[in-house]
Amino acid sequence: MSFADRADERLVQDTSPKALLGNVSRRLRSGDLGMIPVIVGLAVIWIVFYAMNPRFLSSRNLVELSLDSATIGMISVGIVLVLLLGEIDLSVGSVSGLSGSILAVLLVYQGWPLLGSILAALCAGLLIGVFYGVLYTRFGVPSFVITLAGLLAFLGAQLQVLGSNGTVNLPGDSALIEFANFTFLPPWLSYVLAGVVGLAYLLARVRTIRRRTAANLSTPGLQSVVVKAVLITAAVAGVAWYLNIDRGIGAMPLLWVGVIIGMDFLLRRTTWGRHVFSVGGNEEASRRAGIGVDRVYISVFALCSMFAAFGGVLAAGRLQAVSQTSGGTDTNLMAIAAAVIGGTSLFGGRGSVYSALFGMLVLQSITSGLNLVGVDAYVRYMVTGAVLLLAVTIDSLSRQARKSSGSG
């Protein structure tokens, strides 16, 4: 069965509680855990930190958590794409710092308009990714080596761009700062958004039902689809209501989630997306099937670096400045760890863009929770490392389980 067929089959499965439990049980037996571990882990983390400090689940803290997650979370979207091919990009932190520096210098020192500065920063990231892809496909240089060299080289380029000052403060009235820190949906619009999400889900499922009915394939009951759409609308509206107690849904986190939804659609519903999964699963078979493997690699590396640049732009707005440490410290760690902890396999061919969302929420929840309970920074690194090791171990064990199931 092709990837597209498996995706369609998942779309039409029965949504009754009994069927859902049965599906989870089958996933556990087959080793295809998906994002079940990270969702369970996120729930456990929230419960533990709430018990230690009730302020953790306050609307104010959750709003801050969403704002802090969006910047590196955007970078992690690109990491997911590279991991789906079984490759890695170690330079996303340096690329994000360099792109943020380009934005700041063009905007502040060269007098460029904000939009032009942002486009220049994104184009820089895109060109870096294309360069990586060409090196990988034309010369066979391992992605680990290419991006490790990029990590060092673009860190030096960032220092050169920033010059002797080392820090560039963005104008206080910049629209980027306003967007990243102070722009929130009005309450009425957040509830409209909840309705739109539910309606979009309903229309998508009805379209799937009609398509499968025309092909004489099994379809779920319309009643169960309507019920699930109502539940989704209620859940989103509930989250909106709770966040509206403080400032509401931030524009930057909303953009991040929107990008994730868009990339998930491209991966699951387009030829390019199916080719990404195919190449990540078996490159040689994909090549023999006539897929442009080199084009897939180049496009994915380009997108990964562009998302790194996008994250650097958002981080510049969030911090209201760019410095020599931008994109440094633990940016690489967090971006890569979020993708892996979220359930994307290190072995390629398996994962979801939603890994960036849930994995980043896990890491940012750990950071926020430990800060609230007054734990030193070194503990956060140790806990993050332990969670990452656990995620990779689960991925490895599930891979072995799938091999055993396939051979059996």
Side-chain angles (χ1 to χ4, degrees), residues 237-290:
V239 171
W241 169 82
Y242 192 67
L243 295 181
N244 285 332
I245 295 177
D246 186 57
R247 285 159 289 174
I249 299 176
M252 185 169 67
L254 185 61
L255 172 64
W256 174 42
V257 174
V259 167
I260 289 174
I261 294 173
M263 289 307 304
D264 179 69
F265 176 83
L266 290 178
L267 284 173
R268 294 192 301 110
R269 295 297 185 182
T270 66
T271 300
W272 173 80
R274 290 190 288 271
H275 287 177
V276 170
F277 279 99
S278 177
V279 172
N282 192 321
E283 178 183 336
E284 186 57 33
S286 300
R287 197 181 300 275
R288 292 179 179 179

Side-chain angles (χ1 to χ4, degrees), residues 106-293:
L106 291 178
L107 180 65
V108 176
Y109 293 156
Q110 302 300 322
W112 281 38
L114 176 61
L115 181 59
S117 302
I118 292 175
L119 291 177
L122 295 181
C123 286
L126 184 67
L127 291 175
I128 290 171
V130 171
F131 177 66
Y132 286 165
V134 170
L135 286 178
Y136 181 86
T137 57
R138 294 291 184 268
F139 303 101
V141 184
S143 60
F144 178 89
V145 176
I146 296 172
T147 58
L148 181 60
L151 183 154
L152 299 173
F154 296 123
L155 176 59
Q158 176 183 348
L159 299 180
Q160 175 64 29
V161 169
L162 289 175
S164 57
N165 291 333
T167 299
V168 180
N169 295 316
L170 299 185
D173 58 351
S174 171
L176 181 60
I177 293 177
E178 180 70 23
F179 175 81
N181 294 277
F182 309 114
T183 301
F184 298 88
L185 294 186
W188 66 268
L189 186 55
S190 65
Y191 300 130
V192 170
L193 177 64
V196 169
V197 170
L199 181 60
Y201 171 83
L202 178 62
L203 293 177
R205 293 301 298 269
V206 168
R207 179 175 176 271
T208 300
I209 291 174
R210 289 178 176 175
R211 187 177 69 247
R212 293 183 66 88
T213 300
N216 293 321
L217 298 174
S218 61
T219 61
L222 182 60
Q223 182 179 0
S224 64
V225 172
V226 172
V227 170
K228 195 169 184 179
V230 171
L231 292 176
I232 290 174
T233 302
V236 176
V239 171
W241 169 82
Y242 192 67
L243 295 181
N244 285 332
I245 295 177
D246 186 57
R247 285 159 289 174
I249 299 176
M252 185 169 67
L254 185 61
L255 172 64
W256 174 42
V257 174
V259 167
I260 289 174
I261 294 173
M263 289 307 304
D264 179 69
F265 176 83
L266 290 178
L267 284 173
R268 294 192 301 110
R269 295 297 185 182
T270 66
T271 300
W272 173 80
R274 290 190 288 271
H275 287 177
V276 170
F277 279 99
S278 177
V279 172
N282 192 321
E283 178 183 336
E284 186 57 33
S286 300
R287 197 181 300 275
R288 292 179 179 179
I291 295 175
V293 173

